[in-house]
Amino acid sequence: MIANSLAVVAPIVSIALGVWVTNLNSDVAHLNATINGLHQDVASAEALLTDREEIIEGLRAENRELLAALPPSIPPEQVPDARNIGTVTLAAGGDSIDLNSTLPNFGNGADRIQKDTLQFANGVLTSLWGIDVLQLPEGEAAYETCAIATGYAPMKTIEPHRLDGRVCIRLQSGNYARVTVNAFEEERVELTITTWDAPF
C-alpha cells in the first residue's frame, strides 16, 4: 500500500518540482533581463553624463574667454573719494605745486626737488622726477579709468594744450591725478586738478 502511495505521489511531486523549476528558471531569466536592462540604462546615463560634462566644460571655457575679453573695471564701491580738488595758477618760472598735497592750493611754493611737484616754465609743465602719462581716446580721466589703464609713458614735461581732461597722470607716489588747463598764456597757466589715492 505504501508502495502504491509512493507510486502515485512521486509523479505528482515530480510534476510539481518541474513546474517550480520552470517558474524559477523563468524568474531567473526575467531577473537577468532586468539586470541587463539596468546595465544598459546605467551605460546610457554615463554616456549622457559625459556629454553634459563636455558641454558644461565648453560653456565654462567660453565664459572664461568672454570674461577675459571684457575691459577691466573697478566696482563702484571701491572707487575712493577724491584726495584733493582745486584750481591753481602757476606763473612762468614761478612756484611749484605738490600734486600729493591735500591743501587747497596744492602746497603752492613746494620745493621743486620733491617728487610729484609740478612747475610751469618755458611754455611747458615740468616734473623733475617725472610722471607717468596716458591720454585716453575718449571720456574724462577718472579714478576708475586711470587706475586700471595700461600704456602709461614716463614724461618730465607735458604741453598744457594736451591737458584737456582726458589725460591720466600716475604719480611717483602711486596716486592718480587729472589736470585740466583752464587758461594758458605765455606767462601763466591756470589748472584744475583732481587727485586720488593709490589703489589698495
Side-chain angles (χ1 to χ4, degrees):
M1 182 173 176
I2 294 175
N4 290 337
S5 297
L6 288 175
V8 173
V9 171
I12 294 172
V13 169
S14 177
I15 291 170
L17 284 174
V19 171
W20 180 77
V21 168
T22 300
N23 288 340
L24 182 61
N25 287 337
S26 176
D27 290 344
V28 169
H30 179 71
L31 288 173
N32 285 336
T34 301
I35 290 170
N36 288 336
L38 290 173
H39 282 305
Q40 290 175 358
D41 290 345
V42 169
S44 297
E46 288 176 343
L48 183 60
L49 179 61
T50 299
D51 290 344
R52 288 185 176 174
E53 286 176 345
E54 289 176 359
I55 292 170
I56 290 170
E57 184 53 39
L59 291 171
R60 284 178 177 157
E62 184 179 349
N63 190 45
R64 286 192 294 270
E65 289 176 8
L66 290 172
L67 289 174
L70 287 173
S73 61
I74 295 176
E77 64 273 13
Q78 293 182 17
V79 175
D81 292 334
R83 175 182 174 85
N84 196 5
I85 301 174
T87 299
V88 295
T89 299
L90 295 177
D95 292 332
S96 297
I97 56 171
D98 179 4
L99 293 174
N100 288 310
S101 174
T102 55
L103 296 173
N105 66 354
F106 284 89
N108 202 344
D111 187 342
R112 187 167 184 262
I113 65 170
Q114 291 179 342
K115 292 180 180 179
D116 299 329
T117 57
L118 206 59
Q119 185 183 44
F120 181 56
N122 301 316
V124 295
L125 293 161
T126 64
S127 174
L128 185 64
W129 292 86
I131 53 178
D132 293 331
V133 176
L134 173 68
Q135 182 152 7
L136 302 172
E138 60 183 4
E140 185 178 55
Y143 175 85
E144 53 267 38
T145 306
C146 298
I148 61 173
T150 58
Y152 282 88
M155 295 185 179
K156 291 191 175 182
T157 65
I158 186 167
E159 298 85 0
H161 70 270
R162 291 187 56 194
L163 299 172
D164 58 1
R166 295 182 298 140
V167 175
C168 291
I169 297 176
R170 185 172 57 203
L171 307 176
Q172 295 279 331
S173 64
N175 292 347
Y176 289 91
R178 177 180 65 237
V179 180
T180 304
V181 171
N182 300 330
F184 170 42
E185 301 172 4
E186 186 178 346
E187 297 300 322
R188 59 183 282 279
V189 64
E190 183 184 273
L191 309 172
T192 294
I193 303 169
T194 303
T195 60
W196 299 273
D197 288 325
F200 293 117

